[in-house]
Amino acid sequence: MSRDDRQARRGYHHGNLKQALVDATLELVVERGPQGFTMAEAARKAGVSAGAPYRHFKGREEIIEEAARQGFEMFADLMEHAYASAPPSALARFEATGRAYLAFARKFPGHYITMFESGLPIAQNSDLKRTTDRAFAVLTRAAEELIARMPKDKRPPASMVSNHIWAMSHGVVELFSRGQPGTKTPFAPEDLLESGIGIYLRGLGLIERDD
């Protein structure tokens, strides 16, 4: 029996080859980036033969797509939970969704990379688009609730506000949440995001300016 055959038997023992390959891919994208490994390396890490992944996936991109789809489902659940469990105020719910973004990136780096850094054509994949829309619908709903107090003629589109906060959250993750905390800034990522949101909302007149 060859070494690959022995690995394959160990891999099939857990009973879910497809998920084992996704899990292996998540580890590899954290270690090397979404383009830094081959299908054969994903198979090796999953403990199966080099040809086994092709029973479920045509290539590396399809494994990454599945990892991203699972990530967006988890992300949407987390965003919905953050919104529903926040104190009953528009501002608190809005801030909670921003913090949930940082929490997800920190806890699930492999999923985060496949979702936002792998260059997937999300609009061309109906499953990815559906889960992406569900996740960011929560942030847009929080934005709608928050800007409802503004005069209609001065009210920006809720989707623009949610995209601004998405961009700010993503920037904090990319610049300050990777690697060893405190090596790039003396401030915690959560504090950077909270202060950034505060400045943004003060500019819109949604919260009072500090004296």
Side-chain angles (χ1 to χ4, degrees):
M1 182 184 296
S2 70
R3 179 173 178 270
D4 282 347
D5 287 338
R6 289 195 299 271
Q7 287 181 322
R9 288 195 175 186
R10 285 199 298 272
Y12 288 124
H13 179 70
H14 48 59
N16 192 341
L17 172 61
K18 183 176 181 179
Q19 189 59 46
L21 291 166
V22 170
D23 293 342
T25 294
L26 291 169
E27 292 182 28
L28 286 167
V29 297
V30 173
E31 295 170 6
R32 308 183 192 178
Q35 307 303 325
F37 65 96
T38 65
M39 284 278 280
E41 287 172 321
R44 189 179 306 118
K45 184 172 277 290
V48 299
S49 67
Y54 296 97
R55 300 179 184 183
H56 296 283
F57 303 102
K58 293 179 180 178
R60 179 181 59 189
E61 185 172 286
E62 283 198 358
I63 304 181
I64 291 175
E65 284 183 356
E66 175 59 19
R69 186 197 64 77
Q70 293 181 15
F72 274 117
E73 292 283 5
M74 295 159 56
F75 182 57
D77 290 343
L78 179 63
M79 294 287 278
E80 289 174 349
H81 175 75
Y83 180 88
S85 60
S89 79
L91 178 58
R93 283 191 282 264
F94 189 71
E95 290 178 334
T97 56
R99 288 193 297 272
Y101 191 105
L102 298 189
F104 180 86
R106 179 179 291 114
K107 188 172 183 179
F108 304 105
H111 288 98
Y112 185 88
I113 292 169
T114 62
M115 291 157 61
F116 298 115
E117 298 176 10
S118 60
L120 290 178
I122 291 175
Q124 299 174 26
N125 185 308
S126 59
D127 286 341
L128 281 179
K129 189 174 186 311
R130 175 184 56 79
T131 52
T132 303
D133 290 347
R134 182 167 76 91
F136 287 102
V138 181
L139 187 54
T140 300
R141 185 163 72 246
E144 288 174 344
E145 184 180 7
L146 190 61
I147 65 176
R149 67 186 71 176
M150 298 178 66
K152 287 188 177 181
D153 60 335
K154 295 182 179 180
R155 190 182 302 170
S159 60
M160 179 182 290
V161 174
S162 63
N163 275 276
H164 284 161
I165 300 305
W166 176 16
M168 192 183 303
S169 302
H170 188 73
V172 169
V173 168
E174 292 300 309
L175 293 174
F176 305 117
S177 289
R178 298 292 176 85
Q180 192 69 22
T183 58
K184 298 179 181 178
T185 173
F187 308 105
E190 290 79 7
D191 293 341
L192 287 170
L193 181 61
E194 184 177 349
S195 62
I197 290 175
I199 292 168
Y200 178 79
L201 296 181
R202 287 186 185 92
L204 292 176
L206 288 169
I207 58 177
E208 295 181 1
R209 296 179 181 273
D210 295 331
D211 293 335

